Amino acid sequence: MNARSTAGSFERAPDQWHTLRPDEIRHHLQTPHGGLPEAEARRRLAQYGPNRLAPPKRRGPLLRLLMQFHNILLYVMMGAAAITAVLGHWVDTGVLLAAVVINAIIGFIQEGKAEAALDAIRAMLSPHATVVRDGHRREIDAADLVPGDLVLLGSGDRVPADLRLVSVHELRVEEAALTGESLPVEKGTEAVAADAPLGDRYGMAYSGTLVVYGQAKGIVVGTGGATELGKINELLTGIQALSTPLLRQIDRFGRFLAIAILAIAAATFLLGTLGRGHSPSEMFMMVVALAASAIPEGLPAIMTVTLALGVQRMARRNAIVRRLPAVETLGSVTVICSDKTGTLTRNEMTVQRVVCAGHVFDVGGVGYAPVGDFSVDGHIIDTDRYPALSLAIRAAVLCNDAHLREDDGLWRVEGDPTEGALLVLGDKAGFTRNVADSDWPRRDSIPFESQHRFMATYHRDADGEPWIFVKGAPERILDICTQQFDHDGERPLDADYWRRMATDTAAQGLRLLGLACKRAAPAEDHLRFADVEDGYTLLALVGIIDPPREEAIHAVGECHRAGIRVKMITGDHAETARAIGAQLAIGIGKPAVTGAEVAIMDDAALRRVAMEVDVFARASPEHKLRLVQALQDDGQVVAMTGDGVNDAPALKRADVGVAMGMKGTEAAKEAADVVLTDDNFATIAAAVREGRAVYDNLKKFILFMLPTNGGEALVVIAAILFELTLPLTPAQVLWINMVTSSTLGLALAFEPPERNIMGRMPRPPREALLSGFFIWRVVMVSFLMMTGALGLFLWEMEHGTSLETARTMAVNAVVVAEMFYLVNSRYIFAPVTNREGLTGNRYVLAAIAACIPLQLAFTHAPAMQAIFGSADLSVIEWLKVVGAGLLVFCVAELEKLVMRRARVAAAEGPA
Ligand code: ATP
């Protein structure tokens, strides 16, 4: 049968795969035992297309543009435009509409950019699948799977396509995504009747369901839209819409502000017409201009873009945000609970020590290159002369699922690095995996799972004699051993000796594994847990070094300076964890608490311990969950890392769940808020830094926007209140608003993190954005702006300047003051009167540079003079305008200085 007819049968009988036996499936889909050849896989990919579901329909660009106008703030402005048109004030109508359109376009472009950023991030999160092709195990993009591919499943995997299972090992799959049944289903390889419902097709694993336990091999029978999931066309994962609690809070605030502004405008109208005798139509125009300029119509768009830029910056630093609120929460994290292996350490394992009964062997060499000698007390030895060592090495190589590969002289491990280290150990003793496998073929195995902390394999030796090998955490292995193997053969177990050696080896920061064997066949020729309970012979303890990551050491220090506690929660031995912790400055001089101890503590005791202790060893996922809860009860904001399928509850519960992108399971990634593509602790610290920066930038933008709008409004209100000639005409107010409101402030979204951002304490999670200080700053700057512009206007009028010129100066004074204040706003408290402060953000400089020609045109272009009633200014007059702007700048800097002093004094407390 050729591939085309395969396609035919595939399309004709998509529901019948469960009725076929595994060998029939192999035959049908022409899958050799070593998997598809690469060339054939490529051909089938071209034929069947990628294994991807069609993405949900997007709103088209036109609809997206129209949606930009759907905003209460813009409604008010459009309403005003309509009324001015009716009144025949065409200039005002034109400027109002221009402002609305500019805002909508800026919003449209920004939203587009934000969505593109999220799309890129979605692509980075694309799921992977492990396949066998050309006889080799490979990690590929799940989208590249084709019918006939041989796929390997392990616990925590999302099934990447519809599979007919051909071999299973205790496979349990949760199929809630398809059947709604949340209890995991035990899978097999048997064929079932054609009419069996989906939930009873035990020999199938369907795309999108979750492996919660065990391992299996399956052949792909359906990909993309041809899967059961494709039929209901439901995308399981995704990134939430572009909104966060803070954004919603700001949105509400914006609406409140709009209503307040309309009320103030109405009051001003009444005061102007009834109290001061201005004509209603003149007053109406003024009030419209006032409202239009005070309303922060750029607020929602700029908030969104600030957040999206933060997400993008984090992605560039290898932290992928899956849920946007995490960006804000990251900035207020007070405790980071991190795994050890691979996150704080390099996950490059090397066996350094093998402890047998009566001998301790040191192993030379670094990394995965299989070069290094065995020595005892500094003397190189021949491993063949030590039967216990030889058998231990054989066990280490046989009870092993990893593979070693050499690429251009570089040795790499495929599979678990711990097991890779054992293969290297074997190679150093001249005992390679291929020889071992062909001499002592494997019959069955129980794979390693963090939950039970061991792995077992069952073999027959060259004489056909049965052997079971076990490797795992030393406590686990000691539990099942009654004998030990030494120079003279098997002896009763000396448990004290092994415990002493284990503690001693672990205290040096080495990771421990025990190796044991039993010369017997399991019952029914299949390995079950009952076969790994007693009667074993202990062969050796292996000490593996996994050094801390250099950058993690720095990052832990940075977190400590930033007021963030770092806790290590590991499955490893307590002594190993403590020793590695000490190298990372985590929990120095404090005891390590084990999972078993956590299990017997009540919640109150755990809450005390959770804060005090920094190293938790032999901890399992349930302990992680309880720890998160205990820390949260204590008022902490917790980031927690995880990788296994059972870590999902703790990741969900944590304020920021962080999953490992490389070694993490799909289940953990889906439960997490943030995925680290490099599995590196330093990336979490970098994400916290970015999180703080995003929050800062949101704050800075609001601190810029509110007083600039407020100042402009105050100029007009004050003039009406004090019965002065209006210093700005309605059209001029609208001009200022159009030129500055969304353009200048946008530059603050690009503000880089402040230098000492990790030198401050975490932000209190419930801190209100609009604090007393905030209100003070807004009011103060509003008055400053008003003073500059109104003061200059009144001064000029006093000294006989024409009304047109005085008004032109007032307009320019407002705009120039905004430009200066934009520079002030780069830092909330720190001074900007230094090189970094003045020039550190090129977007700020560009925004200012873009406004200058607009103001020059407004002032000097005859057409603009005709529209806006502006007039040419002399150099002296320009200097006065700049002087008014400088006044705002200097007073704002002075206020920061006073604030800094006050904060230092408050921190030091009363003398
Ligand atoms: P972390 O939780 O920080 O990632 P970890 O990787 O040490 O720590 P586990 O993977 O749960 O945590 O390992 C726990 C223990 O199980 C190890 O200390 C080791 O003794 C044993 N172990 C680890 N990998 C294997 C394996 N492949 N086969 C057998 N035993 C193993």
Side-chain angles (χ1 to χ4, degrees):
M1 188 193 305
N2 62 25
R4 193 145 279 292
S5 63
T6 307
S9 65
F10 168 67
E11 275 150 17
R12 264 203 312 277
D15 288 331
Q16 301 307 309
W17 299 109
H18 56 282
T19 62
L20 303 180
R21 288 191 318 273
D23 52 320
E24 289 172 323
I25 292 280
R26 275 184 195 281
H27 175 73
H28 236 73
L29 291 173
Q30 295 188 312
T31 305
H33 280 276
L36 294 178
E38 272 302 336
E40 173 62 14
R42 269 198 301 279
R43 220 187 46 71
R44 291 193 192 185
L45 186 64
Q47 184 180 353
Y48 295 109
N51 175 33
R52 214 183 277 135
L53 294 186
K57 274 223 161 42
R58 282 279 178 86
R59 283 181 291 164
L62 188 66
L63 190 62
R64 256 185 43 218
L65 182 64
L66 285 179
M67 287 301 285
Q68 298 300 324
F69 294 93
H70 178 50
N71 167 345
I72 177 155
L73 305 180
L74 293 188
Y75 282 162
V76 175
M77 296 190 51
M78 287 189 280
I83 300 174
T84 50
V86 172
L87 294 175
H89 291 268
W90 296 112
V91 172
D92 302 300
T93 313
V95 181
L96 270 170
L97 285 182
V100 168
V101 169
I102 288 177
N103 249 296
I105 291 177
I106 290 182
F108 175 74
I109 295 173
Q110 286 167 350
E111 193 186 281
K113 276 208 187 125
E115 282 195 358
L118 289 192
D119 278 350
I121 288 164
R122 268 187 209 111
M124 289 168 84
L125 278 176
S126 66
H128 288 245
T130 312
V131 293
V132 180
R133 282 186 186 168
D134 279 329
H136 293 291
R137 192 188 150 116
R138 247 167 240 160
E139 278 266 310
I140 63 166
D141 224 329
D144 294 338
L145 282 179
V146 293
D149 252 331
L150 189 58
V151 172
L152 304 180
L153 294 178
S155 67
D157 286 351
R158 257 283 156 224
V159 178
D162 282 0
L163 306 178
R164 176 68 174 90
L165 300 169
V166 293
S167 82
V168 302
H169 208 287
E170 312 237 356
L171 186 72
R172 289 207 281 279
V173 177
E174 195 234 273
E175 299 186 319
L178 272 187
T179 60
E181 171 59 59
S182 62
L183 279 184
V185 181
E186 178 113 32
K187 293 287 181 179
T189 55
E190 305 80 29
V192 294
D195 58 354
L198 224 53
D200 292 346
R201 298 182 190 169
Y202 301 113
M204 299 287 296
Y206 289 107
S207 180
T209 59
L210 184 71
V211 178
V212 291
Y213 194 82
Q215 292 182 325
K217 267 187 205 170
I219 293 179
V220 174
V221 295
T223 61
T227 59
E228 289 299 325
L229 186 70
K231 285 186 207 153
I232 54 175
N233 197 6
E234 201 174 304
L235 279 181
L236 288 172
T237 55
I239 298 173
Q240 282 180 350
L242 210 57
S243 186
T244 74
L246 182 66
L247 282 200
R248 284 193 287 274
Q249 190 187 329
I250 289 173
D251 205 37
R252 276 198 300 276
F253 170 70
R255 267 182 249 178
F256 162 77
L257 206 62
I259 293 169
I261 288 167
L262 288 179
I264 292 174
T268 312
F269 179 77
L270 291 179
L271 180 72
T273 48
L274 303 179
R276 302 287 185 263
H278 290 290
S279 85
S281 88
E282 182 198 356
M283 250 350 271
F284 180 78
M285 286 317 301
M286 203 58 238
V287 159
V288 165
L290 182 81
S293 58
I295 285 176
E297 68 273 13
L299 197 63
I302 292 183
M303 293 285 128
T304 310
V305 93
T306 308
L307 206 68
L309 281 173
V311 169
Q312 214 172 13
R313 274 203 300 263
M314 287 188 193
R316 240 177 269 138
R317 306 193 66 160
N318 301 322
I320 299 187
V321 176
R322 291 188 69 250
R323 285 187 247 286
L324 284 171
V327 182
E328 286 161 19
T329 320
L330 269 170
S332 58
V333 160
T334 59
V335 178
I336 302 176
C337 297
S338 173
D339 285 346
K340 172 178 72 69
T341 309
T343 312
L344 289 163
T345 65
R346 291 197 213 147
N347 212 7
E348 284 164 16
M349 312 262 178
T350 315
V351 177
Q352 281 203 328
R353 188 185 247 205
V354 183
V355 180
C356 293
H359 290 287
V360 176
F361 302 91
D362 292 313
V363 188
V366 283
Y368 294 129
V371 233
D373 293 316
F374 290 75
S375 57
V376 177
D377 297 331
H379 301 290
I380 294 178
I381 55 109
D382 177 3
T383 50
D384 290 341
R385 300 195 30 231
Y386 295 84
L389 177 63
S390 296
L391 191 55
I393 291 175
R394 181 182 291 274
V397 173
L398 286 174
C399 186
N400 199 314
D401 281 330
H403 290 268
L404 266 187
R405 221 181 55 207
E406 190 190 1
D407 280 337
D408 300 329
L410 206 73
W411 288 86
R412 245 195 276 269
V413 166
E414 278 172 16
D416 179 355
T418 306
E419 297 189 353
L422 296 180
L423 288 187
V424 176
L425 177 79
D427 263 17
K428 285 175 181 169
F431 192 74
T432 63
R433 159 142 229 158
N434 293 345
V435 175
D437 282 348
S438 56
D439 283 3
W440 296 47
R442 185 192 288 189
R443 291 293 191 85
D444 199 8
S445 68
I446 298 179
F448 174 76
E449 300 260 0
S450 290
Q451 266 164 300
H452 51 248
R453 297 205 174 98
F454 74 86
M455 168 177 176
T457 52
Y458 158 46
H459 302 258
R460 293 269 169 180
D461 66 15
D463 302 326
E465 294 296 316
W467 289 78
I468 303 175
F469 292 110
V470 191
K471 74 175 196 306
E475 309 91 289
R476 252 332 288 236
I477 301 300
L478 268 172
D479 257 7
I480 57 167
C481 288
T482 45
Q483 282 104 258
Q484 63 192 44
F485 199 90
D486 68 15
H487 229 68
D488 309 315
E490 292 182 359
R491 300 272 151 139
L493 185 79
D494 177 0
D496 282 345
Y497 165 80
W498 294 104
R499 286 211 180 90
R500 218 173 42 246
M501 293 314 279
T503 312
D504 187 50
T505 310
Q508 296 176 26
L510 296 183
R511 191 175 159 79
L512 282 174
L513 273 181
L515 294 165
C517 69
K518 185 176 185 177
R519 303 193 60 160
E524 302 164 36
D525 231 34
H526 277 306
L527 263 185
R528 299 264 172 260
F529 278 86
D531 299 308
V532 198
E533 277 177 356
D534 58 5
Y536 278 77
T537 302
L538 188 57
L539 298 173
L541 285 183
V542 178
I544 301 174
I545 189 166
D546 176 21
R549 289 174 183 257
E550 213 39 63
E551 62 278 23
I553 300 178
H554 291 297
V556 170
E558 190 180 29
C559 287
H560 286 160
R561 281 192 296 283
I564 299 169
R565 286 281 287 269
V566 181
K567 296 182 187 287
M568 178 201 278
I569 302 183
T570 171
D572 222 333
H573 192 282
E575 284 302 320
T576 313
R578 244 166 64 93
I580 297 283
Q583 294 173 30
L584 287 150
I586 299 175
I588 296 179
K590 291 189 213 153
V593 166
T594 62
E597 287 164 333
V598 169
I600 54 173
M601 285 180 201
D602 63 15
D603 288 347
L606 183 60
R607 200 183 314 167
R608 272 195 308 280
V609 169
M611 245 351 251
E612 266 164 35
V613 172
D614 288 336
V615 176
F616 294 86
R618 290 293 189 232
S620 40
E622 310 87 73
H623 305 136
K624 280 189 173 179
L625 181 61
R626 282 195 65 206
L627 271 171
V628 171
Q629 283 165 340
L631 288 166
Q632 285 174 334
D633 289 347
D634 196 55
Q636 305 296 324
V637 179
V638 187
M640 165 72 83
T641 69
D643 47 23
V645 54
N646 299 318
D647 285 336
L651 291 177
K652 278 198 183 130
R653 173 70 201 234
D655 298 279
V656 183
V658 181
M660 300 301 140
M662 294 197 298
K663 71 167 188 168
T665 55
E666 286 301 321
K669 289 185 210 169
E670 284 165 22
D673 302 294
V674 177
V675 177
L676 307 181
T677 54
D678 60 358
D679 291 11
N680 190 340
F681 179 83
T683 304
I684 307 178
V688 168
R689 188 190 174 84
E690 289 297 343
R692 290 184 172 194
V694 167
Y695 197 83
D696 267 8
N697 289 357
L698 292 176
K699 250 176 127 157
K700 287 174 185 177
F701 173 68
I702 295 178
L703 269 183
F704 170 77
M705 181 135 199
L706 293 186
T708 47
N709 285 354
E712 219 178 311
L714 271 186
V715 172
V716 175
I717 295 177
I720 294 172
L721 218 62
F722 298 113
E723 300 186 63
L724 309 168
T725 318
L726 287 174
L728 307 169
T729 66
Q732 288 170 347
V733 170
L734 292 172
W735 164 265
I736 298 175
N737 185 49
M738 186 172 72
V739 169
T740 59
S741 73
S742 320
T743 42
L744 282 181
L746 181 58
L748 291 175
F750 296 89
E751 197 55 47
E754 284 184 28
R755 200 184 296 274
N756 78 333
I757 199 160
M758 292 298 267
R760 327 179 189 140
M761 291 296 109
R763 159 174 62 87
R766 266 176 270 290
E767 179 193 75
L769 191 65
L770 302 171
S771 58
F773 158 74
F774 233 79
I775 295 170
W776 150 252
R777 171 75 59 89
V778 170
V779 171
M780 183 203 75
V781 179
S782 299
F783 270 95
L784 260 182
M785 295 252 170
M786 178 196 75
T787 313
L790 191 60
L792 187 60
F793 174 78
L794 292 177
W795 169 274
E796 290 298 318
M797 292 296 285
E798 269 306 290
H799 291 77
T801 313
S802 74
L803 181 61
E804 282 74 32
T805 310
R807 279 184 168 158
T808 310
M809 288 174 79
V811 170
N812 279 308
V814 171
V815 175
V816 171
E818 288 189 17
M819 290 176 183
F820 275 109
Y821 182 58
L822 180 66
V823 180
N824 290 124
S825 302
R826 291 201 52 214
Y827 305 142
I828 297 177
F829 291 111
V832 290
T833 45
N834 48 54
R835 188 152 170 249
E836 171 61 28
L838 294 175
T839 61
N841 180 346
R842 59 197 161 92
Y843 293 94
V844 164
L845 301 179
I848 292 175
C851 275
I852 291 175
L854 287 174
Q855 279 316 111
L856 287 176
F858 171 84
T859 311
H860 297 292
M864 298 291 255
Q865 291 177 346
I867 296 175
F868 290 102
S870 49
D872 289 325
L873 296 185
S874 67
V875 174
I876 300 288
E877 283 162 340
W878 269 117
L879 285 178
K880 286 183 192 166
V881 165
V882 174
L886 260 177
L887 171 83
V888 173
F889 180 82
C890 294
V891 179
E893 282 303 293
L894 211 63
E895 184 250 11
K896 285 192 204 170
L897 180 73
V898 175
M899 282 291 169
R900 284 198 301 274
R901 294 250 164 99
R903 273 155 52 110
V904 171
E908 283 169 358

